[in-house]
Amino acid sequence: MPEETEERTVDTHPDKTSGPGRILVAVYAIFALAATSRAAVQIGTKFHEAPLAYVLSAFAAVVYLLATVALARRGAGWWRIALVACGIELLGVLTVGTFSLFDREAFPHATVWSVYGQGYLFIPLVLPVIGLFWLRRTKP
């Protein structure tokens, strides 16, 4: 009788939580903490001054939290959630960044994404691009 061999497939894609993925998760966690803290203080102390800006800061915080958790977890479902979160983040920073440049009256106070994240050294603009690149590289 011929001996049956078990075929093994080798995954050539790195796990999204390994190597550079750990650094990405750490940066997202820092931004989640920063955006959450900023939004909480803004909404709690001066919401009436710039409600749109502060609601957008809170939304950015939720997106960063979701991206952090999704990037830190394994599995195809979490990969898809991370992809959506990074996509929303990129769309948000491009949209808010553009509107904050052209309609300064609508944004009298800065958000995390104002002027493409200028208050955060433009990291909010670069971070989702890096996240999307990493997700593409680690696609399950």
Side-chain angles (χ1 to χ4, degrees), residues 6-95:
E6 182 181 321
E7 283 189 37
R8 298 177 108 179
T9 57
V10 177
D11 187 7
T12 58
H13 296 292
D15 179 20
K16 69 180 171 67
T17 61
S18 66
R22 289 181 187 205
I23 297 168
L24 189 61
V25 169
V27 173
Y28 265 100
I30 291 166
F31 267 81
L33 180 63
T36 301
S37 301
R38 178 182 187 149
V41 169
Q42 290 172 328
I43 290 171
T45 61
K46 49 189 177 180
F47 182 75
H48 64 282
E49 293 178 18
L52 176 62
Y54 300 152
V55 167
L56 286 170
S57 283
F59 178 74
V62 170
V63 172
Y64 285 123
L65 286 168
L66 182 61
T68 301
V69 171
L71 286 165
R73 304 290 242 176
R74 294 173 193 226
W78 285 110
W79 183 89
R80 284 190 289 278
I81 292 169
L83 182 68
V84 169
C86 289
I88 289 171
E89 180 191 354
L90 182 59
L91 181 64
V93 75
L94 291 174
T95 303

Side-chain angles (χ1 to χ4, degrees), residues 94-135:
L94 291 174
T95 303
V96 172
T98 301
F99 278 114
S100 65
L101 281 176
F102 292 108
D103 190 4
R104 296 209 183 253
E105 290 178 14
F107 296 93
H109 295 238
T111 72
V112 176
W113 292 339
S114 293
V115 193
Y116 309 108
Q118 181 181 27
Y120 290 90
L121 304 174
F122 299 101
I123 294 171
L125 179 62
V126 176
L127 194 57
V129 173
I130 294 169
L132 290 168
F133 174 77
W134 182 246
L135 288 168

